[in-house]
Amino acid sequence: MRDWFWRRTAVMVLIGTSVCATLCAAEPASAPAAPVVAGYYQLKNAGKTDPAVLGELLIGELNCAACHSAEHAQRIDFKGAPDLGNAGARLTPQYIRGFLSSPHATKPGTTMPDLMHGADAAARKTDVENLTHYLVSRGGPIAPAAEEGNNMLMERGQALFESIGCVACHAPENAGTLKVPAVPLPKMASKTTVDRLADFLMDPSKVRPAGRMPSLHLVKDEATAIAVYLLRDQLDNPELVGAPPARTHGVRYSYYEEPIFESCKLEELDRLKPKSVGKANSFHLNLPGRRNERFGVKYEGAIAVAKEGKYTFFIHSDDGSRLYLDGKQLIDNDGVHAPAQKSASVDLTIGDHPMTVCYYQAAGGAELTVDWEGPGVRRQHVPTAVLYNFGGMPMIPLGNGKFSVDPDKAAAGEKVFRGAGCIACHALPGVQHAASPGKSLLSLNPDAPHGCLGDQIAAAAPNYDLSPDQKLAIKAALKKGNELDKPREAREQATHLLAEMNCYACHQRDGIGGPAPDREKYFVMSGVFDMGDEGRLPPRLSGVGEKLKATAIDQIVFEGKLHVRPVLATCMPRFSRDRLSGLAQSLASADGPADDVSPKFSEISAHDGRQLAGTKGLGCVNCHGVGDARSLGMPAPNLSTASERLRPAWFHKLLANPLAINPGTRMPAFWDKGDVTFKTVAGGTSNGQIDALWNYVSLGKSMPLPAGLAPTGGYELVPTDEPIVHRTFMADVGPRAIAVGFPEMLHVAFDANTVRLAKAWRGRFFDARGMWDGRGGQALAPLGTDVINLPAGPSFAVLASNDAPWPLPRANERNLGGRFKGYALDKQDRPIFRYVLNDITIEEQPLPELKTGGAALIRKFHLTDKQPPQGLYFLAASGGKIDVKSPGEWIVDARLTVHISADAAAKAVVRDAAGTKQLLVPVEFKNGEASFDVEMNW
């Protein structure tokens, strides 16, 4: 029974940690290697970590809890197993069989133990074969690849693999001996297909929810290119000899940049060498690596016609385009021009018709759409479903052969899977999780001579091929006994988490990690800038808990937001929140942020900060951009997110002495030895000026552009020093919209049809292109973010009773909220809207008020009527939920704060109205007048 238990457990653990290991490709070494836990080597090489702490990391990463209970070892974070629920759809039968038979030979350095090293060969072979059939039955056999490869795609994949961050953990090609061993990448040409590998690379957590591989924010084209590179041996697969060309959905494209050309004739493009090639699902310009001007694209494929008849094709472009069908030019829309459309009709038979679309972009807007209509087809963009491309090199896994699941073997494999306890690691639908059968970790004898840590491992014990130093570390951890149940202090926990997820591969913290010399050359910038290592290498994490707000760390690590180094080619990954949920708090507690109180805010101080940031001040804009306006020189972090990311105390320390905080930085010390250049700004002191700069950046998306930065150009309207009032068509507002842009980067839109303030937003203002392109009249949305929509009905209404419904506009109805009487401008050119409801004259002025975090919207109202009516109400807000925050202040949908001036707020009510909540303010007149203010913040 003992031998049978260990043989069954061997299969369990064998599957439990690595059947769905990292789907990447590199030649395995000729000899087995010790398990590679990258974070262990990072800590060990630094020489600062106690061996017992190293052992804790190994116990977790080797998933010892698969065999041993760990109810009193909360310090250990066990690495879970991959999801085998759909294993057969991802993995080839030959790979599953090979890996189950000999994990260390298939993947040297794997954390998978060999538990069958002493088992009977015949029984092992039978179990492996049955398990292979069972796992293949889970969604398999794997489908043939729909994607193909070519040398240019392979080269692009290699360039991405070596630049975006893959080589921080994995070995680059021909790397030799590395200081920190690479996370093993088995030879994958026999393991999977391009399609499945690309799917994995785009979202590793789907296959490995407890794994360490993060998302690198890849789009499909990038993931496919990397997959082609990693599976490049499939391009030379002997099985490809005599294989027919692949027929797959979509079109092939060739992208051109040089030399400069001014036509998209097919013969002109064919004389050029493309900069890149790839596949697109349709005719669009969302191509990887595309620049904004002076480029051309050729799309090639075939369109599948299901019904014979006359078809009309439409091509709309800015600048030139041509459409070729069945080898002949059908539409010529070439030349440098504004958006324009041309069409042509042709009779087509059932079947595939070769189709080529050529496009050329000179400058300005870049647009391309291709539509069609015909028998049974209404006009629409030509869809992916009818587009095909032919040729390319099919990619077939090596050793691929016919495989049919044997139901009897699969049933036997399921019994092994259940009976051996594989389910202790792997969750499968309909299969109950099993408890670990072995002794608890705390009761083990780490010095047992024939155990998995012994010098002579018994045939029934697991063989990890542990190195001597790894064995010593694990023994040291196990000998701590009950201390394994003691929670870590914050600094210990931060170090452990960073090692566990191998963050040290890119980042240095407290002398540990950072790009090793043998990998450092792969950390590059995407452009040529004189920024030194500060612009090339990922930032150091020493003291990062004092530097970054916890909310910012969460957004950076888990949400892929607040990335501020756009020219760093290496990508900051996105990790699973489940794996690193306590990282931000651990870093904050470990680094002990100093007094984090922001300086007192005032508009004068923020104005001084704006002056200091511009070219008439300290010249921060020479390196830093603001909002969507780029810097004048190198692309240092954008100032608009500074207050969202940084703690104010750290910001003050950085500006006071940049080199002390960030050694090697290009940032100058503006107040060296206390000297102040601008003695009349912000009190003429360094502290006052640093506070002013913080108050300026604290406006975030409401930061007005400082001197030196210009609008992006084109049709975009940018209120720099004075408001802009723009009458236009606007989406969700109407054809009589009046958009008002304020320099404080808070903007509003007034609906002169319904007569109401309809929308407010922060950031960029508005694009006037809709009034000028083509025939005009395009209803565009605001350019900025943080948009709020005000209630759809009028702002004021006379109600017959307190529970009477609020009036809502019908289609094409005008003047529901009164008769619009235009607007006047105050001394600062800010509009005051005037309208008359019944005999009530209403003046409404929307104004921005600068505050930390961005501008608030102040709505000032003044109403006059000699005989005011009874039952006049103002609709302040509506939403799914409205709660009282404080007297006179309400929270709408947990986002918008509405504050109403005291007299008006006293009688405001929240009522139910057709499934929503409404905040109503009764309007009371005194001597024929009424005035009140409403502040809105979000």
Side-chain angles (χ1 to χ4, degrees), residues 169 205 211-217 497-498 500-504 506-507 554-560 571-581 583:
C169 295
S205 64
R212 307 314 190 212
M213 172 106 175
S215 166
L216 286 173
H217 312 281
L497 290 173
L498 293 174
E500 184 178 274
M501 303 308 292
N502 199 23
C503 303
Y504 289 121
C506 292
H507 301 279
D554 278 355
Q555 290 185 67
I556 293 168
V557 174
F558 305 129
E559 301 176 23
C571 174
M572 171 63 201
R574 183 179 69 246
F575 289 90
S576 167
R577 194 178 292 273
D578 292 339
R579 308 307 308 164
L580 284 170
S581 59
L583 178 63

Side-chain angles (χ1 to χ4, degrees), residues 388-416:
Y388 292 89
N389 63 91
F390 302 86
M393 302 173 68
M395 297 188 71
I396 301 173
L398 300 184
N400 197 54
K402 292 183 179 179
F403 185 93
S404 299
V405 174
D406 184 317
D408 293 335
K409 291 182 179 180
E414 182 177 6
K415 291 180 180 179
V416 176

Side-chain angles (χ1 to χ4, degrees), residues 920-936:
L920 292 186
V921 180
V923 180
E924 294 188 354
F925 287 76
K926 293 181 179 179
N927 301 320
E929 297 187 11
S931 296
F932 62 94
D933 295 346
V934 177
E935 179 179 330
M936 310 183 80

